Amino acid sequence: MPRITAEDGVNVFARDLGEGDPIVFLHGWPLNHRMFEYQYTHLLDEGFRCIGIDLRGYGKSEKPYGDYSYDRFADDVRAVLDELDVDGATLAGFSMGGGTATRYMSRHDEARVDKLALLAPASPVITEKPDFPEGLDESDVNPLIEGARTDRAKMNADFAEMLFHTDQSDELIDWIWSLGMEASGQATIASAETWRDADLRPAMDDITVPTKIYHGVHDEVTPIEITGAVLEEGIENAELIRFENSGHGLVADETETVNEQLAEFAG
């Protein structure tokens, strides 16, 4: 599987499987492309090309000390799409990956992307701003960052327990924990500060492609009324799809429905 060199020389890992219409997956914090395992299984069988990117600092990508901004992540995605010669893609971003996808569409003029799928996105803005009192208080987010500084293993375990509305096996929770532990500590801290502080509302004006927002109504990490509803209103050609039995981790809470929705939208 290829490692693509970004403009600053950092190697970014991408898994490129299958043929057909491409779907490019951007993972959430603090995981990696493997979180979409049960999407790949279904969508490859349906005839899609699935490309999973490990954002820098995560999974099998290099883990430099330094910049973990949405601009940097978006530039890395562009490097991957250019190197793999991807065109007409559905860009699917989960949580922090949704923020990365939102920024990509604005910063790179929707290059190589025909459709946008945002899953429980950490976008456009999570925490309170002077003109956005609906956001979470920073005190709701900072314990995750402090936990990453002091006991990242416990923080990842606690975060994994927050993700789901339906019962999941202990083994799946352990697997989620293990994906988080593959990240670098500095990337975990710095990118959490990115999604905590970001305000991507201006980027919404630049998104013109058909957009679906898939969001669990029980999401406690990126609540639907803060993110999904704002994106639907702010993106010209967007539709919010509510998942009534999902929390933040809708890819496991309602796997079959997510897979069917993605296949229908991307086809």
Side-chain angles (χ1 to χ4, degrees):
M1 295 299 170
R3 284 178 170 81
I4 289 90
T5 302
E7 62 180 2
D8 65 344
V10 171
N11 289 323
V12 176
F13 178 85
R15 175 162 277 128
D16 186 1
L17 301 170
E19 299 177 354
D21 294 331
I23 307 176
V24 178
F25 290 90
L26 305 179
H27 63 83
W29 179 90
L31 309 176
N32 58 58
H33 82 279
R34 292 170 57 206
M35 66 160 287
F36 296 109
E37 176 174 337
Y38 303 106
Q39 282 63 62
Y40 302 144
T41 301
H42 177 83
L43 293 166
L44 289 168
D45 286 346
E46 292 291 315
F48 290 94
R49 178 186 181 190
C50 294
I51 300 166
I53 300 174
D54 283 346
L55 300 173
R56 65 173 59 205
Y58 296 89
K60 295 184 178 181
S61 288
E62 283 194 84
K63 301 172 174 62
Y65 182 86
D67 182 10
Y68 287 91
S69 66
Y70 277 138
D71 283 354
R72 174 57 69 195
F73 285 149
D75 291 351
D76 290 350
V77 172
R78 179 63 187 270
V80 172
L81 299 189
D82 285 349
E83 179 66 23
L84 298 181
D85 195 24
V86 176
D87 276 311
T90 297
L91 185 60
F94 170 80
S95 195
M96 182 179 73
T100 299
T102 304
R103 185 67 188 114
Y104 175 89
M105 298 299 281
S106 174
R107 184 171 173 84
H108 292 285
D109 299 319
E110 303 180 322
R112 300 183 178 273
V113 175
D114 283 357
K115 298 176 183 178
L116 178 63
L118 301 174
L119 297 89
S123 173
V125 58
I126 298 297
T127 53
E128 287 182 333
K129 301 291 185 286
D131 62 342
F132 191 69
E134 303 89 344
L136 299 173
D137 192 280
E138 285 193 7
S139 64
D140 295 324
V141 177
N142 287 339
L144 295 172
I145 298 172
E146 184 59 27
R149 292 183 183 277
T150 59
D151 191 343
R152 189 163 63 94
K154 184 178 187 306
M155 183 280 295
N156 276 337
D158 292 342
F159 187 66
E161 295 286 351
M162 294 173 57
L163 295 180
F164 306 110
H165 178 65
T166 60
D167 290 336
Q168 303 294 332
S169 69
D170 292 341
E171 291 80 5
L172 184 137
I173 297 295
D174 290 344
W175 178 63
I176 293 293
W177 176 87
S178 72
L179 298 185
M181 293 308 296
E182 291 181 25
S184 82
Q186 195 258 330
T188 302
I189 294 164
S191 53
E193 292 171 341
T194 289
W195 58 256
R196 178 195 65 189
D197 298 337
D199 187 347
L200 298 172
R201 286 177 290 178
M204 296 191 296
D205 293 336
D206 299 324
I207 299 173
T208 65
V209 302
T211 300
K212 299 284 189 183
I213 305 150
Y214 306 107
H215 215 128
V217 301
H218 304 285
D219 192 330
E220 297 179 357
V221 179
T222 59
I224 190 170
E225 64 273 9
I226 293 177
T227 60
V230 174
L231 288 163
E232 182 182 41
E233 182 177 350
I235 296 174
E236 178 181 0
N237 195 12
E239 179 184 5
L240 175 62
I241 310 296
R242 298 168 62 92
F243 284 71
E244 300 294 336
N245 294 310
S246 289
H248 190 59
L250 72 168
V251 295
D253 276 330
E254 296 187 71
T255 306
E256 184 176 344
T257 305
V258 169
N259 293 346
E260 290 172 352
Q261 290 272 356
L262 281 174
E264 180 179 357
F265 181 53

